[in-house]
Amino acid sequence: MKVLTVVGARPQFIKAAVVSHELRKAHTEILVHTGQHFDYNMSGCFFEELNIPEPDYNLGLSGGSHAEMTGRMMIAIEEALMKERPDWLLVYGDTNSTLAAALAAAKLHIPICHVEAGIRTHSKTNPEEINRICTDHVSTLLLASTQSSLEEMEKEGLSDRGFMVGDPMYDAFLAYSRKKTVEEVILRTLEGDTVKVPAAYYYLTCHREENTKRDEELTEIFIAMEQLDAPVIYPVHPRNRERAVRIRKERKFQNLILTQPLGYLESICLVNHAKKIITDSGGLQREAFFAGKKCVTILDFVCWPETMTGKRNVLAAPKAEDILEKLSEEQRIEEGYQPFGDGHCAGKIVRMLEKTL
């Protein structure tokens, strides 16, 4: 079996780390990296520390509008598909890379397997929602991370293609989360200094456009962080760096440690040892859940309803008062509740590809 896998962004590298290793035990994989995330700290370090095979194609495509990026990716991915003629196209999640690959393969009549299929936020202002819906509807095999994703497929008449396999990010969490100790993590600040991780800290990630494209929302988030009882570690996305640095300087915030983006092993270590998590990332919501850490998600839609039980993950508006109120709520962990599979998702994905082919 020959599988062409397309990745382009940080969360996809994590999923590929477990699935590619399993797939290559018996089959041929052609790995295409679109370059959607190109910074070393957002891409290269993941390939190194997770031992992901070097891409067979590195397209180097990033920047521009959604249409520009997706269009350029479609052209380049189509060329790779026509040259390789794989038995399957394998895509993950909801990025522009995923949509571009799925559209290119569908028009070439190449079977498509979408991992992390069926997720719906029911927010059409969210560009990832459009990518998810379109990819699901042109895919041949829809592999769900949770039961609720299967239920969403049924509503759209897709259930005959849908199967529950679990979440490859849970596989990765189990495989990698103890590879690095907190004492080994060295934070590199945006000013170029290196600092040790504080004995107690909160962990913040914030990169979505709705929280970072204007000063107002990011300032409110920073105001909340300034009032917490321990420092806040915030790895800053490259596109948000100027705004974050300027706001912290203008408002003289002292509680924020702004750092370079972190590798997966460093990030997952910080999740495991943080007091609590504040994020707008779908991936970090799940990692906080896996680690048993209270999470406040700064979004107005639910990505992963499974994490919302017992106030383990709660939504907050980008308002300081709301964030602090939600952080103060105590979580209740239900013993034995693990809706993201059994940690053997990668093997199930490979077996579904074999069976369906």
Side-chain angles (χ1 to χ4, degrees):
M1 186 169 64
K2 186 177 185 180
V3 178
L4 190 144
T5 300
V6 173
V7 295
R10 186 179 187 273
Q12 294 166 332
F13 307 146
I14 299 168
K15 297 159 194 168
V18 291
V19 178
S20 291
H21 291 158
E22 189 68 27
L23 181 60
R24 293 181 183 224
K25 290 178 181 179
H27 304 288
T28 299
E29 182 186 39
I30 306 299
L31 188 61
V32 177
H33 182 359
T34 64
Q36 186 170 338
H37 281 176
F38 60 89
D39 181 273
Y40 174 80
N41 289 328
M42 301 287 287
S43 175
C45 73
F46 284 79
F47 280 80
E48 290 180 9
E49 67 183 16
L50 301 182
N51 195 29
I52 303 170
E54 282 295 313
D56 298 279
Y57 295 83
N58 202 326
L59 306 181
L61 300 174
S62 63
S65 69
H66 285 290
E68 290 170 334
M69 183 188 296
T70 306
R72 287 185 287 125
M73 287 177 180
M74 282 185 66
I75 294 169
I77 292 169
E78 182 185 58
E79 292 178 0
L81 288 168
M82 292 176 68
K83 179 180 178 181
E84 299 293 343
R85 287 293 171 183
D87 298 303
W88 282 104
L89 169 76
L90 177 62
V91 291
Y92 300 97
D94 54 19
T95 66
N96 289 337
S97 299
T98 294
L99 176 61
L103 291 175
K107 291 174 182 289
L108 293 172
H109 309 294
I110 294 171
I112 303 161
C113 174
H114 185 202
V115 175
E116 211 176 82
I119 300 164
R120 297 291 183 269
T121 64
H122 303 287
S123 171
K124 293 293 180 64
T125 61
N126 176 228
E128 290 87 357
E129 183 83 344
I130 307 302
N131 293 347
R132 283 189 289 265
I133 293 171
C134 293
T135 300
D136 279 351
H137 279 264
V138 299
S139 291
T140 314
L141 184 59
L142 301 173
L143 300 184
S145 299
T146 62
Q147 186 62 35
S148 67
S149 296
L150 283 180
E151 293 167 3
E152 292 289 352
M153 291 183 208
E154 187 172 359
K155 295 175 186 177
E156 296 176 25
L158 300 173
S159 56
D160 59 327
R161 298 179 243 166
F163 301 90
M164 169 68 173
V165 295
D167 189 348
M169 289 196 73
Y170 185 45
D171 288 25
F173 179 85
L174 295 176
Y176 294 107
S177 67
R178 303 301 175 186
K179 294 286 187 182
K180 184 168 287 213
T181 67
V182 72
E183 291 77 19
E184 294 174 308
V185 177
I186 302 297
L187 303 174
R188 293 166 180 82
T189 70
L190 297 185
E191 294 77 22
D193 301 320
T194 57
V195 296
K196 291 184 177 181
V197 177
Y201 62 90
Y202 294 83
Y203 189 37
L204 165 71
T205 72
C206 181
H207 71 284
R208 287 186 182 270
E209 188 175 281
E210 52 264 50
N211 290 325
T212 61
K213 70 179 178 180
R214 303 192 314 163
D215 282 11
E216 287 83 349
E217 287 79 10
L218 195 58
T219 299
E220 283 286 325
I221 294 167
F222 281 8
I223 289 172
M225 300 302 98
E226 190 70 7
Q227 297 180 55
L228 296 177
D229 59 356
V232 179
I233 298 172
Y234 176 24
V236 182
H237 194 287
R239 69 167 177 259
N240 186 41
R241 176 172 177 161
E242 181 278 329
R243 191 183 305 277
V245 170
R246 175 173 50 79
I247 292 174
R248 184 182 63 168
K249 182 178 180 181
E250 290 174 353
R251 298 295 296 258
K252 297 182 172 56
F253 291 132
Q254 301 295 316
N255 208 35
L256 280 159
I257 304 173
L258 303 186
T259 78
Q260 302 284 349
L262 299 171
Y264 179 66
L265 297 184
E266 295 170 318
S267 179
I268 206 70
C269 179
L270 292 181
V271 169
N272 275 316
H273 293 89
K275 295 186 70 168
K276 294 177 182 178
I277 308 295
I278 308 96
T279 189
D280 59 8
S281 160
L284 208 70
Q285 292 175 52
R286 283 174 282 167
E287 289 165 357
F289 181 87
F290 302 154
K293 299 294 179 177
K294 168 78 176 185
C295 181
V296 171
T297 299
I298 308 174
L299 288 174
D300 60 0
F301 54 82
V302 175
C303 290
W304 296 96
E306 292 79 9
T307 67
M308 313 298 284
T309 180
K311 296 188 176 179
R312 295 179 64 173
N313 180 20
V314 291
L315 300 182
K319 297 288 185 182
E321 183 178 355
D322 194 31
I323 295 168
L324 292 169
E325 179 183 340
K326 299 296 173 56
L327 277 171
S328 69
E329 298 173 347
E330 291 301 318
Q331 67 172 343
R332 177 181 54 82
I333 297 178
E334 182 182 342
E335 188 175 351
Y337 175 65
Q338 180 44 266
F340 292 95
D342 59 5
H344 299 287
C345 167
K348 293 176 183 178
I349 291 171
V350 175
R351 288 192 290 275
M352 287 302 305
L353 289 171
E354 294 168 340
K355 178 181 178 181
T356 309
L357 182 66

